[in-house]
Amino acid sequence: MNTEQSEARKLKTFLEVGQTLAGTFQLTDAMSRVLMTLGRHHEMVYGVVMMLDQETKQLGIVASHGLDHDHARRVKYRAGEGITGRVLQTGKPIVVPQISLEPAFLDRLGVLKKALRRRELSFICVPILVNRNPVGVLCASLHYRAEREYEHELTFFSIIATMVAQAIKVNHLIEADKQRLLEENTHLKQELRERYDFSHIIGNSSPLREVYELVTQVARSNTTVLLRGESGTGKELIAHAIHYNSLRASKPFIKVSCAALPETLIESELFGYEKGAFTGAQGRKKGRFELADGGTLFLDEIGDLNISTQIKLLRVLQEREFERLGGTETIKVNVRLIAATNKDMEKAIAESQFREDLYYRLNVFAIFMPPLRERKSDILLLADHFLEKYAREHGKRIKRISTPAIDMLSSYHWPGNVRELENTIERAVLVCETNVIHGHHLPPTLQTAEGSGTVTTLKLETAVEAYERDMIQDALKTTRGNRKKAAKMLDTTERIIGYKVKKYGIDCDRFRP
Ligand SMILES: Nc1ncnc2c1ncn2[C@@H]1O[C@H](COP(=O)(O)OP(=O)(O)OP(=O)(O)O)[C@@H](O)[C@H]1O
Ligand SMILES: [Mg+2]
């Protein structure tokens, strides 16, 4: 072969090696193919790639050419041992033009000696360096030729080893990234599970304890659950709790808001579509049923589903299979269904707005969320919980809710239930500039006679008096009944405080420790 031909061969080898390494994430596969290329274009008789096992500190063969691979796999070298071991230790290449003359040549593989009987071999071993650290070696055996330019050979194999090293580096980065994402995902899932743990559902009233009881009973089964109750009572919270306390907890929880999606979109959202199913369907898209496979599908506001989707949903519930829009393939899924509604379903059925057969399919295990006004003892627990949450969120040092404000919260009828209470407390936290939530921090709906359930009309004088009394009581609470300090706090005199205490019949002893 003349020089020109040989140079062209080399370039072709580089190109092929580069393409092989760039074309896959299966590194060991790619390395085997790189060795094959070297065998084909470069008269390499035998070749191996060895990698350092970071734990055992041994060199093991990950890819080989011209050898019995299973045998080769068992061969191990330590750093410093033999020529390969030395290359790894020093990070410097070694060339042995005639291996029959080299005593350091261990030939654990045994094959080279066998081959030697036929023809003398040369041995080239170059380190694979990642960030200047040797992580492995590339070894090649060529037929010995006295006129061979071993310097050139060394350069050639060093370039190949550099290319392999680059691929290893990229692979490490991707692996590290994958590992990080995996850990992050596990962490997030754990966080979700904790968030929807029972301990985060606030309330101790007996109607709510009954709900906990039902959730515990049903969570670990695959039973379809129908959550009913007024708006803002915590249906979605309970749906999450069921999922995260079930055997499906590590699988997806997918929500479909039936009311939020326009009629034309709901089917494609639920069942997905094939490319070209309708104008604009540029690719295949999985529906929520498919996404929830193995996990839970939460159909929120089921009472708002249109009749045609109700029919399709009924079929899925009966047969547990469906087709994507514009598709023919039947898809089977394993999902647990939880539905929720604040509608009067019986009325909707009577008015033919909801199919009775679908209703029976959904209403297997019903859980009714009690309205807040029927569990007054939860109001305070929830108010305290939200106070802490929003004070922290908005960086405010609010300690408590004043007694009159508590009275207002307790006597209000809460048509918007827990959501309304949550919003009320968040607003109060925002407008409160001291460390106590007072009655006047609450919205006007809670202050009116209808709101508080009292029928007397509120006069300015009475309102001012209530406010004054409220402030004095609070000051006395803070100062543990010390009138002098309370007066100072309110920027008034001890004499006035004394007079007001008498007027409002405040019992100072109550605040003494
Ligand atoms: N027992 C509870 N403990 C703590 N937070 C609660 C509780 N019940 C409800 N909440 C909170 O109140 C808000 C409203 O609850 P959720 O969204 O579950 O109500 P919903 O019944 O689904 O209402 P809608 O019918 O309007 O969708 C949420 O922010 C939820 O976290
Ligand atoms: Mg909801």
Side-chain angles (χ1 to χ4, degrees):
M1 217 192 295
N2 63 31
T3 330
E4 231 168 72
Q5 272 174 333
S6 123
E7 286 304 308
R9 272 270 159 103
K10 277 183 187 159
L11 284 179
K12 198 165 174 213
T13 311
F14 289 145
L15 181 67
E16 245 183 63
V17 168
Q19 282 170 341
T20 306
L21 290 171
T24 176
F25 293 120
Q26 300 295 327
L27 256 192
T28 45
D29 258 19
M31 289 181 194
S32 298
R33 274 185 282 136
V34 166
L35 292 177
M36 240 153 71
T37 305
L38 294 173
R40 202 164 51 235
H41 295 329
H42 211 75
E43 303 172 315
M44 185 181 74
V45 189
Y46 303 108
V48 291
V49 175
M50 293 189 175
M51 296 296 293
L52 181 67
D53 184 324
Q54 294 298 345
E55 269 167 35
T56 63
K57 297 289 169 209
Q58 283 189 332
L59 269 175
I61 293 181
V62 291
S64 66
H65 172 75
L67 300 171
D68 170 18
H69 189 68
D70 290 336
H71 172 66
R73 240 175 220 291
R74 288 195 289 275
V75 175
K76 303 274 183 234
Y77 283 89
R78 286 183 187 287
E81 204 179 21
I83 291 178
T84 43
R86 209 186 310 151
V87 170
L88 183 81
Q89 198 175 40
T90 59
K92 301 244 161 33
I94 293 181
V95 181
V96 182
Q98 287 172 273
I99 60 172
S100 63
L101 305 178
E102 175 60 61
F105 194 76
L106 295 179
D107 191 21
R108 290 251 161 94
L109 293 163
V111 284
L112 297 178
K113 285 230 172 75
K114 235 186 280 166
L116 271 182
R117 276 183 231 129
R118 278 177 256 137
R119 200 169 157 189
E120 176 70 291
L121 288 173
S122 310
F123 183 74
I124 297 174
C125 184
V126 289
I128 298 172
L129 302 168
V130 171
N131 301 331
R132 298 217 185 87
N133 291 320
V135 297
V137 295
L138 168 70
C139 304
S141 289
L142 308 172
H143 285 303
Y144 169 68
R145 276 205 297 272
E147 75 284 6
R148 211 189 264 284
E149 295 198 48
Y150 283 97
E151 270 306 304
H152 284 181
E153 294 295 354
L154 191 61
T155 310
F156 173 78
F157 281 104
S158 295
I159 293 173
I160 301 285
T162 308
M163 294 169 93
V164 171
Q166 188 57 27
I168 292 172
K169 193 171 166 177
V170 170
N171 206 266
H172 281 178
L173 290 178
I174 292 171
E175 278 301 315
D177 236 22
K178 218 156 96 184
Q179 194 55 34
R180 189 182 55 75
L181 285 175
L182 220 72
E183 274 161 22
E184 198 173 289
N185 194 277
T186 322
H187 173 74
L188 285 175
K189 273 188 181 157
Q190 178 64 23
E191 221 176 72
L192 269 179
R193 210 168 302 169
E194 277 166 18
R195 178 170 331 157
Y196 293 109
D197 189 76
F198 275 131
S199 59
H200 291 266
I201 303 178
I202 309 298
N204 204 9
S205 61
S206 73
L208 204 62
R209 282 214 300 270
E210 269 170 47
V211 170
Y212 296 154
E213 185 71 25
L214 292 173
V215 171
T216 316
Q217 277 174 27
V218 81
R220 296 179 84 78
S221 71
N222 283 325
T223 309
T224 301
V225 178
L226 180 62
L227 295 167
R228 300 188 63 171
E230 289 174 20
S231 181
T233 44
K235 296 184 291 296
E236 188 162 343
L237 199 66
I238 294 295
H240 275 104
I242 294 174
H243 174 74
Y244 288 103
N245 286 287
S246 78
L247 303 172
R248 296 166 178 264
S250 60
K251 293 282 164 55
F253 175 91
I254 304 284
K255 173 181 157 172
V256 185
S257 204
C258 302
L261 287 166
E263 278 188 24
T264 44
L265 278 186
I266 185 109
E267 279 177 35
S268 65
E269 275 300 320
L270 280 176
F271 309 118
Y273 53 77
E274 294 289 345
K275 190 175 171 172
F278 47 84
T279 14
Q282 281 161 351
R284 166 193 281 186
K285 184 173 181 279
K286 280 189 179 179
R288 310 258 172 121
F289 259 102
E290 257 178 290
L291 294 174
D293 197 17
T296 305
L297 184 69
F298 176 44
L299 296 172
D300 202 7
E301 297 168 69
I302 190 88
D304 291 306
L305 213 57
N306 68 49
I307 288 283
S308 78
T309 317
Q310 286 178 29
I311 299 170
K312 296 229 168 79
L313 185 61
L314 181 66
R315 204 201 115 201
V316 183
L317 296 191
Q318 277 165 346
E319 293 159 28
R320 294 278 156 185
E321 58 179 45
F322 61 91
E323 287 99 37
R324 294 192 195 102
L325 255 64
T328 46
E329 184 194 349
T330 303
I331 296 161
K332 272 200 179 304
V333 283
N334 165 16
V335 291
R336 196 256 182 95
L337 267 188
I338 302 179
T341 182
N342 53 22
K343 285 244 163 93
D344 181 345
M345 296 301 277
E346 287 72 18
K347 189 165 153 245
I349 292 167
E351 290 170 358
S352 302
Q353 277 164 16
F354 204 88
R355 288 183 65 107
E356 199 169 1
D357 42 9
L358 177 59
Y359 173 70
Y360 287 123
R361 282 267 162 196
L362 294 171
N363 192 24
V364 183
F365 191 98
I367 299 180
F368 184 78
M369 293 305 295
L372 196 52
R373 64 184 164 279
E374 284 173 22
R375 42 184 171 116
K376 288 215 181 274
S377 64
D378 289 343
I379 295 178
L380 269 193
L381 290 175
L382 283 161
D384 278 338
H385 166 75
F386 293 133
L387 176 64
E388 205 192 305
K389 175 178 165 186
Y390 289 109
R392 198 178 336 112
E393 218 165 90
H394 298 295
K396 294 212 168 179
R397 296 165 56 96
I398 304 173
K399 301 253 167 44
R400 60 188 180 85
I401 305 171
S402 74
T403 317
I406 286 176
D407 289 342
M408 287 163 81
L409 292 171
S410 316
S411 50
Y412 182 59
H413 61 290
W414 298 110
N417 294 295
V418 186
R419 183 179 293 114
E420 187 182 4
L421 175 60
E422 183 169 358
N423 294 342
T424 301
I425 301 293
E426 182 174 12
R427 176 184 179 276
V429 166
L430 281 172
V431 297
C432 177
E433 59 302 312
T434 60
N435 55 5
V436 181
I437 300 273
H438 290 288
H440 65 276
H441 294 129
L442 301 175
T445 38
L446 271 77
Q447 327 234 9
T448 62
E450 302 93 85
S452 65
T454 47
V455 196
T456 47
T457 47
L458 203 63
K459 281 192 290 183
L460 177 66
E461 202 186 329
T462 345
V464 170
E465 278 179 0
Y467 186 44
E468 193 172 51
R469 186 174 161 203
D470 194 15
M471 285 182 73
I472 294 170
Q473 264 185 345
D474 269 328
L476 285 167
K477 211 180 247 177
T478 317
T479 61
R480 301 178 155 211
N482 185 325
R483 291 189 201 188
K484 195 170 173 182
K485 283 187 186 163
K488 210 165 169 201
M489 257 185 84
L490 296 174
D491 205 12
T492 177
T493 60
E494 196 180 345
R495 198 181 58 83
I496 292 184
I497 291 289
Y499 159 73
K500 303 271 182 195
V501 161
K502 212 168 182 185
K503 177 179 170 192
Y504 298 127
I506 298 169
D507 178 9
C508 289
D509 291 340
R510 240 177 74 199
F511 307 116
R512 298 223 163 90

